[in-house]
Amino acid sequence: RTMNSLALMLMGANSLMAMPFPSFPDDFSSVIEANILNKNYTLQMREFYDYSNDQFRIESHRQGRSTIDLCFLGSQKQHVQVVNTNGKFNCTVEPLAAGRTCRFASRAPHLQKASDFLSGHIDPSKYSYTGQQVERGIPCDKWTAVTAFNRTMRNTTYESLYTLEWYFAQEQWRVRGFDAATSNYSMPVALYLTGESSVGGKSHNFSHVYNFIDFIPSFDDVSHYFPMFAIDPRWKCPAAAPTAPAAPTAAAPTAAAPTAPAAPTAAAPTTDSTSGFHVLEAHKTAVAVLPAVGLVLAVKLFM
């Protein structure tokens, strides 16, 4: 009887360890709350990530100032940024030429798959299932990975050792856009990023908590309420900016909207696994969720 009990315990432990790290949808939208504990502030973002059409929109809000980033990597290849300070808009349009590109882009350049940057460019097999926990009132499964970063740029050495803890809603939890019976994805609830970094020999600890709110594996439903990839006339952007929204599906824009961002070519967008986790790349910007043109949590990590 004792041997049977031990065998059952080992089988249970092995099944837990074998639980694969969840996958992420290529297209998604989400509100992201980034709590930067070591800097004592919160940043709110909303992101629309349209991998199918090589474009994204990120809205960030902090201390009376809001910023909208629109990146089009299709035929127009433009980065549009709008800064709203107390109702005054400042719009800039930057052509993405001569090697210039947007965040989340690979060197192709095309958008990376969401699963690449959200996982931290860590092989999913390196994540270990570490049990169950209630997060924000939601019963979750937890996966953990520990990794290091070391790079020398312009005679300065950047080093970090950090832990990523991902929380995903358990299958029985019901939420808009996710159906355990038919969905290929699990709903991300939170990401904890903690560690120590060093820039030129000066080190500090960091601790971030990213809450993913209303994360859905598409954004077709919200596109009926406002054109997320359109240029608002109130922004008074230069004439080079796109003037019509792109279709939220992989289909190319119709002739009725000739200035809309075009869909990518038939060749599948490629990813660049060597570009590093955006949260740590160049040790300047934390890009966690990542995901809504807002899931790129532009957080100064190594200040």
Side-chain angles (χ1 to χ4, degrees), residues 12-22 127-135 138-145 164-172 189-190:
N14 289 334
S15 64
L16 288 178
M17 293 177 63
M19 287 186 65
F21 184 68
Y127 276 89
S128 299
Y129 180 75
T130 48
Q132 300 177 344
Q133 184 170 319
V134 175
E135 187 69 22
I138 301 173
C140 295
D141 288 309
K142 175 183 174 183
W143 280 263
T144 303
L164 296 95
E165 297 178 348
W166 269 106
Y167 295 84
F168 292 85
Q170 293 180 2
E171 287 188 1
Q172 72 272 18
V189 174

Side-chain angles (χ1 to χ4, degrees), residues 82-303:
V82 183
V83 179
N84 180 357
T85 305
N86 298 322
K88 296 182 179 180
F89 296 101
N90 179 34
C91 178
T92 58
V93 179
E94 179 184 34
L96 299 177
R100 302 185 69 87
T101 188
C102 294
R103 67 185 73 173
F104 292 141
S106 65
R107 293 176 184 174
H110 292 287
L111 288 186
Q112 300 182 56
K113 285 193 172 184
S115 57
D116 289 336
F117 64 83
L118 286 176
S119 65
H121 284 287
I122 299 173
D123 186 330
S125 66
K126 302 297 183 183
Y127 276 89
S128 299
Y129 180 75
T130 48
Q132 300 177 344
Q133 184 170 319
V134 175
E135 187 69 22
R136 296 194 350 248
I138 301 173
C140 295
D141 288 309
K142 175 183 174 183
W143 280 263
T144 303
V146 179
T147 190
F149 178 93
N150 186 305
R151 184 178 298 177
T152 298
M153 295 177 288
R154 297 179 180 177
N155 299 320
T156 300
T157 299
Y158 301 85
E159 298 177 287
S160 63
L161 178 66
Y162 56 99
T163 300
L164 296 95
E165 297 178 348
W166 269 106
Y167 295 84
F168 292 85
Q170 293 180 2
E171 287 188 1
Q172 72 272 18
W173 191 260
R174 292 174 295 182
V175 65
R176 181 172 73 101
F178 289 85
D179 184 343
T182 60
S183 178
N184 295 321
Y185 314 105
S186 298
M187 185 189 75
V189 174
L191 166 65
Y192 283 65
L193 172 67
T194 57
E196 180 180 3
S197 66
S198 173
V199 180
K202 296 181 179 180
S203 62
H204 76 276
N205 295 325
F206 57 88
S207 179
H208 300 181
V209 179
Y210 301 101
N211 290 314
F212 294 81
I213 302 166
D214 196 26
F215 186 102
I216 57 175
S218 68
F219 42 82
D220 291 356
D221 54 347
V222 296
S223 67
H224 295 304
Y225 297 98
F226 68 97
M228 65 198 73
F229 293 109
I231 302 301
D232 192 321
R234 295 175 300 169
W235 299 344
K236 298 181 179 179
C237 293
T243 56
T249 65
T254 64
T259 59
T265 60
T270 60
T271 58
D272 175 25
S273 61
T274 64
S275 62
F277 192 20
H278 287 274
V279 168
L280 296 164
E281 187 174 18
H283 287 258
K284 291 180 180 179
T285 305
V287 184
V289 121
L290 336 156
V293 157
L295 236 197
V296 178
L297 306 175
V299 176
K300 296 296 183 181
L301 226 186
F302 297 92
M303 293 173 58

Side-chain angles (χ1 to χ4, degrees), residues 46-49 56-59 69 229 292-296:
R46 184 183 180 104
E47 186 169 347
F48 302 91
Y49 198 78
F56 66 74
R57 172 185 175 122
I58 297 176
E59 306 166 3
D69 280 286
F229 293 109
V293 157
L295 236 197
V296 178

